Amino acid sequence: MTDLTNLSAYTDYMTDTSRVAADNLQKNLRNVDQAAKQQEDDALFNACKQFEAYLWEQVYKEMQKTVNLFGDDEDGYASNMVNYFSDSFVQEISEQTATQGSNSLAQMLYEQAKRNYGL
């Protein structure tokens, strides 16, 4: 007959080792899942901010059309430079406007999208 007294200790050890490995794997999967959800949230919020910035840009461009600062410029150089820099300024101010306030359009769109799509 073979001696099986140490077999029980070995199987307990292997069971504990497997359980610890499974627990560690579950923790790692939860961390990866949380990181992926955070990336999705960040991407969604950035898309909402870009959309709001685009809307503000359109509003500012329409407002800008009401003011013709260098409309009678003879060579067109000054008006071209103003147009170039004003476009850059409008884009920048639109992005800044979109990120202000907790009740911004971007924040509302983000929260609505999370509710609608269960994110």
Side-chain angles (χ1 to χ4, degrees):
M1 247 197 210
T2 48
D3 184 22
L4 299 177
T5 56
N6 290 333
L7 186 60
S8 175
Y10 177 73
T11 58
D12 288 344
Y13 170 75
M14 292 305 291
T15 302
D16 288 343
T17 304
S18 296
R19 183 181 45 76
V20 169
D23 289 344
N24 287 339
L25 180 60
Q26 282 181 333
K27 287 178 187 175
N28 288 340
L29 288 175
R30 276 189 224 116
N31 290 341
V32 167
D33 192 36
Q34 288 173 349
K37 286 181 182 179
Q38 184 62 41
Q39 285 179 340
E40 284 180 6
D41 279 354
D42 291 346
L44 176 62
F45 189 64
N46 284 336
C48 292
K49 285 194 308 188
Q50 289 174 358
F51 179 72
E52 183 180 5
Y54 173 76
L55 290 177
W56 278 114
E57 185 177 345
Q58 298 309 308
V59 168
Y60 290 141
K61 283 183 178 179
E62 289 302 314
M63 289 170 53
Q64 187 180 18
K65 287 180 184 177
T66 64
V67 179
N68 191 5
L69 192 60
F70 291 100
D72 297 330
D73 188 22
E74 294 170 9
D75 65 355
Y77 177 76
S79 65
N80 286 338
M81 294 306 293
V82 168
N83 288 339
Y84 174 76
F85 288 110
S86 66
D87 285 344
S88 297
F89 176 74
V90 166
Q91 288 174 349
E92 181 64 31
I93 198 76
S94 299
E95 289 174 13
Q96 289 178 6
T97 304
T99 60
Q100 291 181 357
S102 61
N103 291 329
S104 69
L105 177 62
Q107 184 68 36
M108 288 187 267
L109 287 171
Y110 169 74
E111 291 170 3
Q112 185 67 37
K114 282 183 71 168
R115 277 193 299 272
N116 286 349
Y117 297 109
L119 299 175

